[in-house]
Amino acid sequence: MMPELPEVETTLRGVRPHLEGRAVTHFTARQSRLRQPIPEDLATRLPGQPILSITRRAKYLIVAFSDGYCLIHLGMSGSLRIVSPDTPPKPHEHWDLALDSGQVLRYRDPRRFGLLLWATGDPAVHPLLAHLGPEPLSDRFSGTYLHRMAQTRKSAVKAFLMDGKVVVGVGNIYASESLFAAGISPTRAANRIALARYESLAQAVKSVLAAAIAQGGTTLRDFTASDGSPGYFRIALQVYGRAGDPCPRCGDAIQRKVIAQRATYYCPGCQH
DNA sequence: ACTGGCTCCTGAGGGC
DNA sequence: TGCCCTCAGGAGCCAG
């Protein structure tokens, strides 16, 4: 399963206790070619530096140092876990950040759609972050906000909802799930949906994501687990990946349709 | 301003 | 059983 926002949040909560207050002793990249190359100077820049904090914006993790920060993205197959230094790297484990605790933060990413970048200044103005929409669990994200943003958008509401400039962290799975929960057809034009229905949708996004994060928190027992699992979890999905199955609400068959190059699942009986 | 298409990469899964 | 082929998927980027 690809990391969506709940998985990134769970990763953040899992690694944070191992990182904050520690200093870097060593950085190693075995494979530098991610979506962008890993900066070559990290191995000389990072050792000796205390880690001030690790935070999240959208699906990016931000590891702050006194003179800059590392920006991490898990792409669609990335994961982080804490290992002991004598753990031999397995395939696709592309980089290690060794800590003065004696532990190692290890990154695995078979498809290499992820990122590890260095930047200075305020993360909020980083080119990859500056134009992102609000966090879905923040008060800035509401039905009123969605309705206002949608007025000039004629594309399918599902594509609209997945646009990071509208709201961050709503990936392909949770877009289908949220639209089902709100009873809105994924193909409906974004500017043809009333405010009251956007209120339902915003609430659905918040509750679906919050439930997944809560599930992650309870599922994730030990971020240093040696099985390589970073704590990804199985959320009870109502429609995603269930084409042909009966709708849990009305019993009609769940449909699959490609919208904006993405697989979309919905119930034609419940969603309009 | 907005939209659709392309791109990176590899594992999974379907078909035979 | 096993091989081969297709395709999914986050999100930046570009062209129209």
Side-chain angles (χ1 to χ4, degrees):
Chain A
M1 172 174 275
M2 70 298 303
E4 296 230 23
L5 183 133
E7 287 79 4
V8 179
E9 178 66 23
T10 299
T11 296
L12 170 69
R13 295 179 188 183
V15 301
R16 176 180 272 154
H18 300 281
L19 297 188
E20 288 184 350
R22 296 298 179 179
V24 176
T25 58
H26 196 63
F27 176 83
T28 314
R30 287 173 288 273
Q31 164 63 275
S32 294
R33 292 182 49 238
L34 303 183
R35 189 153 65 77
Q36 294 178 37
I38 296 175
E40 290 181 11
D41 63 353
L42 283 187
T44 52
R45 179 189 296 281
L46 295 181
Q49 290 219 51
I51 294 172
L52 304 183
S53 65
I54 176 167
T55 54
R56 179 185 64 74
R57 171 72 174 110
K59 294 179 187 171
Y60 290 92
L61 295 171
I62 300 163
V63 182
F65 299 93
S66 62
D67 63 340
Y69 59 95
C70 285
L71 198 61
I72 299 170
H73 196 286
L74 303 178
M76 67 162 291
S77 62
S79 60
L80 286 168
R81 66 189 178 116
I82 304 290
V83 300
S84 68
D86 56 2
T87 309
K90 296 180 211 161
H92 309 304
E93 294 186 336
H94 304 312
W95 57 258
D96 283 354
L97 187 74
L99 308 165
D100 62 0
S101 61
Q103 291 180 307
V104 170
L105 179 70
R106 179 163 288 177
Y107 178 81
R108 169 184 147 88
D109 186 3
R111 302 204 177 165
R112 310 214 311 265
F113 283 9
L115 276 182
L116 173 59
L117 298 176
W118 173 263
T120 58
D122 181 359
V125 302
H126 190 283
L128 293 175
L129 306 181
H131 305 289
L132 294 175
E135 291 287 326
L137 296 175
S138 73
D139 289 342
R140 279 187 58 208
F141 178 69
S142 66
T144 311
Y145 166 83
L146 272 183
H147 185 253
R148 174 161 44 82
M149 291 295 286
Q151 290 316 298
T152 57
R153 302 294 206 100
K154 295 196 287 189
S155 57
V157 62
K158 196 235 184 185
F160 168 71
L161 193 58
M162 289 180 65
D163 184 343
K165 292 188 289 298
V166 173
V167 58
V168 301
V170 183
N172 200 40
I173 295 173
Y174 296 118
S176 280
E177 293 297 310
S178 301
L179 287 163
F180 173 75
I184 297 171
S185 167
T187 60
R188 177 167 289 275
N191 63 353
R192 299 294 303 276
I193 297 172
L195 172 60
R197 308 191 73 204
Y198 271 125
E199 299 284 5
S200 297
L201 182 57
Q203 275 312 306
V205 167
K206 287 173 190 283
S207 57
V208 165
L209 290 177
I213 290 170
Q215 180 65 32
T218 58
T219 304
L220 179 60
R221 300 268 179 247
D222 181 5
F223 227 73
T224 66
S226 57
D227 63 3
S229 165
Y232 295 161
F233 35 90
R234 189 172 299 279
I235 303 104
L237 299 175
Q238 304 291 301
V239 290
Y240 187 85
R242 293 183 174 274
D245 288 2
C247 167
R249 188 185 292 155
C250 77
D252 283 1
I254 301 296
Q255 304 290 309
R256 178 188 187 275
K257 183 185 177 70
V258 174
I259 298 175
Q261 290 85 43
R262 292 295 175 266
T264 306
Y265 299 86
Y266 65 104
C267 171
C270 296
Q271 296 175 250
H272 299 280

